[in-house]
Amino acid sequence: MEHRVLVITGPTATGKSALGVALAQALGGEVLSADSMQVYRGMDIGTAKVTAEEMRGVPHHLLDIAAPDEAFSAARWVEAAAAAAEDVFARGRLPILVGGTGLYIDSLLSGREFAGRGDDGALRRALSEEYDRIGGAAFRERLASVDPERAALLHPADKKRLVRAMEVWRVTGETITAHDARTRALPPRWPSLRVALTYADRADLYRRIDARVEEMVRAGLFEETQRLLDAGLSPDSTAMQAIGYKETADCLLGRCSRGEAVAAIQQASRRYAKRQLTWLRRDGDVRWIAWEGTPDIAAAAAQVTAWWREARGA
């Protein structure tokens, strides 16, 4: 039988975890977390990581697979997720991707290859220093000599992407433009049914986000962040740039008040939800469930189960 995966996605605070568990129980599945921050150990409250009680006995994968001070990438997640999904398939179970990190989900399902990085931090630093030395306009001209298509798309101030494009060329001998075109032509890794959750009224989504942030604070977000800082995690690390931790760390380091930090987390979370919705709406194959006020997990599970059986021809 053809392998096929189920995806439950959507913006933050829409009930993805609860629906994923309900569907795993109904369909004989296991959950693969598709959240770029839930990979980090010790970062539980601020990432809304599902608890053992909330899992209700359903196996969950790709949680707590990296230390907070590690550099973790989409490529590394895709490698781990593909292996986890194949293991779930091998045991006759259904992999259910649950999370809101659209890049991770799309990269896994598409079978996309990531351009080689060479694991050479020295090269990246050298290119970064070159950019700083000659300026963005001149650096973009150098990129244009090898990859004019990508250079034309990038602003001289976009240091990160300019350096990345030059790094790919130096490491692989292939332009990032050619790499992207080649990987887009690859067949999907697996067919999928993708379901996105949201609220019919955007104001309901924002109220739920604000309430969730307040719940996180009551649950110990500030204490969790303090433990991470006390353990030596730099406030400038990638993990600490996550929404919730960055603002909380600023408060703990005396840069703002507690109330200002909470308000900043709520605002950043609302903005992130808006970006997540924009990302998802590009995909015409996504099926939407829009909550009217309070989420009805049981009704949604029944609807998705019907869609799943239809997709499988059952």
Side-chain angles (χ1 to χ4, degrees), residues 243-278:
I243 295 172
Y245 294 98
K246 179 180 185 299
E247 298 82 0
T248 304
D250 282 344
C251 171
L252 294 172
L253 294 171
R255 298 169 183 166
C256 65
S257 71
R258 188 180 179 98
E260 288 170 338
V262 172
I265 296 168
Q266 291 171 325
Q267 181 181 59
S269 299
R270 293 192 298 268
R271 288 175 174 169
Y272 179 52
K274 186 176 180 180
R275 293 195 301 273
Q276 289 174 301
L277 287 168
T278 299

Side-chain angles (χ1 to χ4, degrees), residues 97-130:
L97 290 173
V98 178
T101 305
L103 173 64
Y104 282 20
I105 294 170
D106 289 356
S107 298
L108 176 66
L109 296 180
S110 69
R112 184 179 308 158
E113 297 175 0
F114 286 83
R117 293 179 182 270
D119 294 325
D120 187 356
L123 172 60
R124 198 168 310 125
R125 286 192 296 273
L127 291 171
S128 178
E129 291 168 2
E130 179 183 345

Side-chain angles (χ1 to χ4, degrees), residues 196-210:
L197 306 181
T198 187
Y199 285 81
D201 186 339
R202 182 72 64 87
D204 286 336
L205 171 61
Y206 289 167
R207 279 193 291 270
R208 180 67 191 97
I209 288 171
D210 288 350

Side-chain angles (χ1 to χ4, degrees), residues 194-297:
R194 282 164 285 179
V195 177
L197 306 181
T198 187
Y199 285 81
D201 186 339
R202 182 72 64 87
D204 286 336
L205 171 61
Y206 289 167
R207 279 193 291 270
R208 180 67 191 97
I209 288 171
D210 288 350
R212 169 177 275 193
V213 172
E214 292 168 1
E215 291 168 9
M216 288 177 173
V217 172
R218 287 193 295 270
L221 174 60
F222 280 78
E223 292 77 9
E224 181 176 74
T225 305
Q226 186 66 65
R227 286 195 297 272
L228 292 166
L229 294 172
D230 290 345
L233 185 62
S234 168
D236 297 322
S237 66
T238 299
M240 286 294 280
Q241 301 313 300
I243 295 172
Y245 294 98
K246 179 180 185 299
E247 298 82 0
T248 304
D250 282 344
C251 171
L252 294 172
L253 294 171
R255 298 169 183 166
C256 65
S257 71
R258 188 180 179 98
E260 288 170 338
V262 172
I265 296 168
Q266 291 171 325
Q267 181 181 59
S269 299
R270 293 192 298 268
R271 288 175 174 169
Y272 179 52
K274 186 176 180 180
R275 293 195 301 273
Q276 289 174 301
L277 287 168
T278 299
W279 178 286
L280 287 166
R281 286 180 177 137
R282 304 177 313 164
D283 187 346
D285 292 331
V286 169
R287 302 197 189 195
W288 289 87
I289 293 177
W291 306 121
E292 297 283 354
T294 303
D296 187 337
I297 298 299

